[in-house]
Amino acid sequence: MTAYKELEKIFGTISDLGHVSAICGWDETVNMSNGGGPSRANAMAALSLVMHNMIVDPKLGDLFKKAKKLKGLTNWQKSNLREMHDQWQDATLIPGSIVEELTKVNSTTEHAWRELRIKNDWKNFRPHLEKTVAIVIKEATILSDHYGCSLYDSLLMGYEPSFNSKELDQLFGKLKKFLPKFIDKVIAKQNEHTILLPTGPFAVNKQKELGLKLIDVAGFDFNRGRLDLSHHPFCGGVSDDVRITTRYVEDDFTQSLMGILHEAGHGKYEQGLPRKWRGQPVGQARSMAVHESQSLLQEMQICLSKEFITFASKHIKEVFGMDGPEYAPENLYRYYTQVEKSLIRVDADEVTYPLHIILRYEIEKDLINGEIKVKDIPALWDEKMKEYFNLNTKGNYKDGCMQDVHWPCGSFGYFPSYTLGALMAAQLYSTVKTEHPAIPSEIEKGKWKTLNKWLEQNIWSQGCLHDTDKLINNATGESLNIDYFKNYLTNKYLKA
Ligand code: CO
C-alpha cells in the first residue's frame, strides 16, 4: 500500500469515529435525558481522545513525507493530501496539555455564561471570560508563530482560511461606509406601509408539516436527513444522515419556518458534497463561511424573495386553514423583509446583520491581538452600538456583550464567517440568475431543479478540491466582490 493510501485509510477511520461523535452530539441535544449529561460527556471525551491520538501518531509524519514524493496522484488525491496534512498540522502543533486546558476552561466559562447572562451579571462573568481569552491567546501564539501571521489571523484560519484580517478590514470597511445611511433610507421607505401581523395560535404539528413540505420542495433529501426539535436550531449529523433542528412557538410560525429553510440550506450542502470522497478530508465542506453562504443563499436570496413568498403563502394558508389580507404575498413579503435597528444579533435582519458582525469582529480582533483587555469590552460595545445603530446598551450586558455563546465557548474568529457567507451568497445567486434568468419564476412555481443543479455542480460537489477563493472564482468568474451584496440590497430594499 502506498503512503497516500495508508493515510486515506487512517483518515477514513477518524472520519467514521467523527460520524459517531456527530450523531452522539445531536442525540445529546435532541433526545438525551438531563441525567445522562456527565456520562455522555465522558464518552464523548474518550472518543475525541481516540481520534486525537490517531492523528498525532508519530508515524503520520513519515507517511506525509513519503506521500508528498509520490508521482501520479490525481488532482483530487493531491487536494486530499493537502487537507489531511492541514488537519494533522493543526492537531500536532498544539500540545495536549493546552488542548485539555482549552476544553476545561471553555466549558466552565460557557456554563457560567448560561447562568450569569440571564442575571445580567458582567462582574462575575468577566473573570471567566478573562481565563478563556488567556488560554485562547496561548493557543493563538503557537499557531501564529508557525504560520507567521497575527494572533487573530491564526484563529480566523480555523473558520475561513482564504481571508485574513487585512482583507476583512477592507471588505468590512466598505460595508461600514455603506450600511448606516442605507439602513436609514430603507427604514424611512418601509414606514410608508402598514404591515398586518399573522396572528395564531399556529398548532406545532401544522408548523412542522409546513416546514417539511417547503424543504421537500427545496430539495432537501429526507432519505438522507431528518428534522427534529432542539432549543437552539442547528444542522448536525453527517452528509448521508443530516440532522437539522428547529423550535416552534405557538403564536408565531414565521421565525421557525425561515429557521428550517436556513438549516436545510446547510443540509443540502452537506448532502451534495462529493459522494466519491465521503469520509475523506477533501470530501468535507470547504469552510464555515462557504457553509453559511449556502444557508443564506437559500434563506435570504431565495426564500425571502417575492417569488418564493408567493409560492409559500398558498401553503401557509392551506396548512393553517387561514385566509385574510395578512396572508397575502405582498403583506407576508413586507413582514419578512422589515428592517429594524435592534440589540440582538440573532434576531437581526439581513440589512443590519453585517454591522452586528463588524462590531464583534473589531472587538475580538483587538482583544486577541492584545490591543484591548476584557474589561474594556462593555464600553467599546456601547460606543459601537451608538455609532452603528444609535442604540444605548449601557449597563445592559445581557443584550449587549454577553448575548452570544461564541466568546464564552472560546470561538474567536468565527463571527466574520456569517458576513462572508452573506457576501458570497449574493455573488453566487447573481451569477446563477444571469446564467439562468428563469430561476425566479421557477421558484415561484416550486421548481428548484435548475438552481440546485447549478449549486451542486459549482459548490457542493467541489468539497475541498480548491480553496475558497478559487471556488468562488470558478463559480462566478471573480474573487469575492462586495458590490453584489450592495446591489442586491439596493434592488431589494430601495428600488422594488
Ligand atoms: Co447558519
Side-chain angles (χ1 to χ4, degrees), residues 262-263 266 292 295:
H262 176 97
E263 297 309 332
H266 284 299
E292 203 59 26
S295 55

Side-chain angles (χ1 to χ4, degrees), residues 352-370:
T352 55
Y353 201 99
L355 287 177
H356 287 277
I357 294 304
I358 292 169
L359 176 149
R360 287 155 177 77
Y361 164 72
E362 292 174 335
I363 293 177
E364 68 176 14
K365 185 180 66 168
D366 285 352
L367 186 66
I368 298 299
N369 286 339

Side-chain angles (χ1 to χ4, degrees), residues 364-418:
E364 68 176 14
K365 185 180 66 168
D366 285 352
L367 186 66
I368 298 299
N369 286 339
E371 312 277 335
I372 60 164
K373 298 266 176 254
V374 169
K375 69 171 167 48
D376 304 322
I377 295 177
L380 279 167
W381 195 282
D382 293 335
E383 198 181 290
K384 289 177 192 290
M385 282 305 284
K386 261 246 134 59
E387 187 189 338
Y388 301 158
F389 296 119
N390 199 22
L391 292 175
N392 183 9
T393 55
K394 218 159 239 162
N396 185 358
Y397 307 108
K398 182 161 79 58
D399 302 326
C401 63
M402 282 176 78
Q403 66 180 268
D404 299 303
V405 70
H406 302 62
W407 292 345
C409 286
S411 302
F412 293 86
Y414 188 127
F415 282 122
S417 299
Y418 295 110

